[in-house]
Amino acid sequence: MVMRTFGLALSLLLACQGAAADERAQLIRDDVVRFIDLIADGDFGDTLESRLEAGYFDVGTPGLQEYSRRFGLTADTLAAAIREEPAYYQSLRDIESRIDAQSEDIHAALARMQTLYPATDLGPVYFVVGAMRAGGQNSSVGALIAIEIFAADPAVADSLPAGKQRVFPTSQLPVIIAHEMAHRQQVMAQGLEAYLSIYGERQSVLANAIREGTAEFMALMTAGSTTDPSSYEFGLAHEAEIWAAFEQDKSNREYGDWFYYTPKDRTGWPADLGYFVGARIAERLYRRSDDKQAALEQILGVTDYEQLLRDSGYGVDGFDRVSAASR
């Protein structure tokens, strides 16, 4: 699943001063273009590392530099990934046109975010090619999107070995970008110190669920889906059971089965159901509020996660399948 928002620096807050509310986010594809040029001839021999170093990493955008720093991406690790799955990486050759096909939906989703939440601050979106590490991240320089995670051509993706990072079709790009842009708004609304605190002394299953679930909720509201629709649908079908288990674990500091890994002790449950629970908490508070703007300000700016849960009424008076996307 997509992993995000760890290891932010002070510059994140300072960098969240980007596009004004009537401007579009920049969709920066320079790294992808350079990568495609490098692999066009299909030569993945001994010179691949040096060519990647000179033609991709050394001239990379701030987005590629930040992604590489966070995830240990180097010419060696990327070359190894390409040689391991050459057909999959070569299938990226038409990725520019597939990004183009999604660009208007990306901008439309972000415009809806600006309408729903006028304080929205849009930063740049960097498309990079990684080595099947993390698909999306919020960062000090902007949203980082590893395009190989969102390039799933079924004819090629189905051949990936079991256990590989899950991959998604490019139609999910507006969703993941809306998700990451929502994290940017959380930084602005909460302040950097409060935002980072849930990865330190205030870490809990509930806090991370609301952190990630809020971004899922905003993606659902603006792009019409969540980053993992199948997990969300599973959650809706088993909501009472999931909540009963989550309620027992919500104060735990360790994330256990709720984030990033397929649950070990709950057969048939998908990964990342903490995202689902957090999204439903945010959704319940939003739907029951008469002042939708105030509700979004509370959700994005939350620092008291137990209080937000209480205010939402989630888990108290039953569950329903009303979707925020049908607002």
Side-chain angles (χ1 to χ4, degrees):
M1 182 58 185
V2 188
M3 300 202 39
R4 351 180 216 282
T5 61
F6 292 100
L8 295 173
L10 177 60
S11 55
L12 177 53
L13 186 59
L14 299 177
C16 287
Q17 308 292 336
D22 59 347
E23 295 178 350
R24 286 183 162 195
Q26 298 177 37
L27 306 181
I28 301 173
R29 301 177 298 173
D30 299 13
D31 298 310
V32 173
V33 172
R34 283 190 286 268
F35 179 84
I36 292 169
D37 288 344
L38 282 167
I39 68 164
D41 61 4
D43 179 5
F44 302 149
D46 293 343
T47 64
L48 180 58
E49 285 85 352
S50 60
R51 288 186 288 121
L52 286 170
E53 192 68 54
Y56 184 61
F57 289 96
D58 286 351
V59 292
T61 65
L64 177 58
Q65 293 171 18
E66 180 67 9
Y67 187 92
S68 299
R69 183 188 68 78
R70 288 185 177 213
F71 298 108
L73 183 67
T74 66
D76 288 343
T77 58
L78 183 54
I82 293 168
R83 291 188 184 111
E84 189 174 349
E85 300 297 340
Y88 189 76
Y89 278 89
Q90 285 189 298
S91 74
L92 299 179
R93 284 175 296 186
D94 68 343
I95 195 63
E96 277 194 276
S97 63
R98 286 190 272 159
I99 293 173
D100 286 341
Q102 298 301 320
S103 62
E104 285 307 309
D105 285 342
I106 292 168
H107 289 304
L110 298 179
R112 283 193 285 274
M113 188 176 294
Q114 291 173 311
T115 299
L116 289 168
Y117 184 65
T120 293
D121 183 288
L122 297 181
V125 177
Y126 290 95
F127 296 103
V128 304
V129 179
M132 294 288 184
R133 282 163 164 76
Q137 276 258 323
N138 181 35
S139 84
S140 60
V141 299
L144 313 176
I145 307 298
I147 199 62
E148 79 278 7
I149 305 297
F150 299 95
D153 175 349
V156 181
D158 288 350
S159 68
L160 291 173
K164 282 281 186 182
Q165 166 74 277
R166 282 179 292 170
V167 293
F168 301 87
T170 48
S171 58
Q172 279 291 92
L173 283 176
V175 178
I176 185 60
I177 290 169
H179 179 113
E180 298 307 333
M181 206 62 74
H183 282 315
R184 184 180 182 89
Q185 311 322 310
Q186 290 172 315
V187 176
M188 295 294 292
Q190 296 170 22
L192 185 65
E193 184 176 356
Y195 184 87
L196 292 178
S197 69
I198 74 161
Y199 306 126
E201 71 276 7
R202 299 187 62 203
Q203 180 167 310
S204 72
V205 170
L206 177 63
N208 202 49
I210 291 176
R211 167 66 48 77
E212 295 295 347
T214 292
E216 291 288 82
F217 167 70
M218 293 297 288
L220 190 62
M221 290 281 283
T222 59
S225 183
T226 61
T227 57
D228 191 341
S230 62
S231 179
Y232 191 85
E233 284 300 316
F234 180 93
L236 289 176
H238 302 86
E239 192 160 13
E241 177 188 359
I242 291 167
W243 171 247
F246 183 94
E247 193 171 22
Q248 295 297 312
D249 293 346
K250 66 184 177 67
S251 297
N252 293 350
R253 284 184 54 81
E254 298 301 320
Y255 292 153
D257 286 339
W258 296 103
F259 302 99
Y260 315 131
Y261 303 101
T262 301
K264 298 176 181 177
D265 299 325
R266 297 183 172 101
T267 303
W269 283 28
D272 295 317
L273 284 172
Y275 284 53
F276 165 77
V277 174
R280 294 292 278 174
I281 291 169
E283 184 177 340
R284 175 62 67 91
L285 189 147
Y286 183 82
R287 282 197 285 107
R288 73 184 298 174
S289 176
D290 293 330
D291 187 337
K292 303 302 187 190
Q293 180 64 33
L296 284 182
E297 290 173 2
Q298 180 182 0
I299 293 165
L300 289 165
V302 60
T303 56
D304 187 336
Y305 298 91
E306 288 283 355
Q307 186 61 53
L308 189 140
L309 173 60
R310 288 191 291 271
D311 290 347
S312 75
Y314 183 76
V316 174
D317 52 0
F319 306 96
D320 58 64
R321 287 180 61 92
V322 174
S323 172
S326 64
R327 68 195 180 279

